[in-house]
Amino acid sequence: MPTFFDAWHFDGKSAVRRKVEVQTVGNQFYLAELERRHGPFAFADLEYAGEQGDASVYKLGGNDGWRLGLVGNVPTELVPHLPAKKTYGGWIDRLGIGPASAVFAIVSAAVVAVVLFSPQWLAPLIPASVETKIGDALIGDFGGRFCSTPKGKAALAKLTNALDADPRDLQVEVANIDMINAVALPGRKVILFNGLVSQAKSPDEVAGVLAHEIGHVREKHVMQGMLRQMGLAVVLGGFDGNGGSTLNGLLSTTYTRESEREADDHSLKALKSASVSPIATADFFRRLSAMDGSAQMREGKERAMASYTSSHPLSDERRKLFENSVIKGKAYRPILSSDEWTELKTMCAQDRKVKSGWGFDFE
């Protein structure tokens, strides 16, 4: 025996909302409108389309504009014929929001873990030729900012050769940028900024920093960092606002601090092999610690929090590391002569062709 229900309907052909009566006949139904009747339609072809006001809305497969709205509580006798409501879709509705959230959290943690740790074994698999092409594409000649004079380049080469067992694949440059920093970049490239060289008190200070950056190259930190950042950008792309950016930064800096410590260890070993005293590098970090305030920080929570949120170990911690590595009674020697140091330190000032200015931003 047929049953009847009031509803509203869009036929998919016009924008007219029609008041209709639903007439059910077994697994089919008709829509009656005044003296017209539409159908039959199969309940099996209906799909749940969501809520609109106080109505449960259904669409008809194969007809994009077709809609049927049942206002209020769906009649009990009609429920078995209608498709189930889908609040979140697919497997989430089948599991429930609680279990689905747990599954999502576990999968997300696993993906982030893969992104964080896979670069350590993936980076060494990247061919040197590919890394070189990446470096050349990203850096080129650094916008014409690489300084070059014959004696200055010779002093830089002597410095590099003393700090690395086989420096033939390294490209070490001084960039005419007034910034106290140095960076290791793809393609086994190391760039010392002229601000660092000109402010250094001795070539031994520059040696400690250069050996640190070479450590990043030799430990494959550069490609690991690139792969990790690319992976985090993809994985965390779904986070909106500052949340994803903050999380991305915290995850990446955790790795960066580890890399910095490994590079410091490499620097100490290189200085020891070259018979260069680490005290000069310790003095360099002493001056930096006065600038960044780490020398004045109290022990305990304040210092721990600063170290946790910094992308590098605190300058004062690094000062202690190099200071404590001095071997008493060891016969250290300067890595460059006085004349060689002067040529390196004034190379950018002597190079009349080099461009000046920033052009590139590094942290």
Side-chain angles (χ1 to χ4, degrees), residues 97-301:
I97 187 62
S101 298
V103 170
F104 179 76
I106 292 172
V107 172
S108 298
V111 171
V112 170
V114 170
V115 169
L116 285 174
F117 298 111
S118 63
Q120 291 178 285
W121 56 263
L122 188 60
L125 301 179
I126 297 177
S129 59
V130 173
E131 184 180 348
T132 299
K133 289 180 180 178
I134 293 174
D136 290 341
L138 290 175
I139 299 136
D141 65 351
F142 218 62
R145 292 172 176 82
F146 289 151
C147 305
S148 179
T149 62
K151 292 183 178 181
K153 292 291 285 186
L156 183 60
K158 180 179 178 180
L159 193 69
T160 305
N161 293 342
L163 297 171
D164 192 77
D166 187 8
R168 290 174 297 178
D169 62 340
L170 292 173
Q171 179 186 350
V172 180
E173 303 283 356
V174 176
N176 192 26
I177 295 175
D178 188 19
M179 183 179 185
I180 303 176
N181 208 344
V183 293
L185 299 169
R188 300 165 303 286
K189 302 176 190 294
V190 175
I191 299 177
L192 303 172
F193 292 102
N194 188 48
L196 169 72
V197 177
S198 62
Q199 293 295 320
K201 303 299 183 183
S202 71
D204 293 355
E205 283 189 13
V206 178
V209 176
L210 176 57
H212 173 94
E213 299 304 330
I214 293 174
H216 282 312
V217 172
R218 296 310 185 202
E219 298 295 334
K220 302 292 185 181
H221 293 158
V222 181
M223 290 308 300
Q224 288 176 22
M226 285 193 64
L227 292 171
R228 180 168 284 104
Q229 285 297 103
M230 290 169 61
L232 287 174
V234 172
V235 172
L236 300 177
F239 287 78
D240 58 352
N242 293 327
S245 175
T246 301
L247 182 58
N248 191 345
L250 287 175
L251 289 172
S252 62
T253 54
T254 299
Y255 170 79
T256 300
R257 288 195 300 274
E258 178 185 345
S259 300
E260 294 296 337
R261 291 190 178 97
E262 289 181 357
D264 277 343
D265 289 341
H266 184 98
S267 177
L268 287 169
K269 292 176 183 177
L271 292 176
K272 183 179 180 181
S273 178
S275 294
V276 176
S277 174
I279 196 65
T281 308
D283 288 340
F284 170 73
F285 285 123
R286 187 191 305 277
R287 297 200 304 277
L288 282 187
S289 67
M291 295 170 62
D292 64 24
S294 60
Q296 291 77 38
M297 287 183 184
R298 300 188 305 272
E299 295 294 336
K301 291 184 178 180

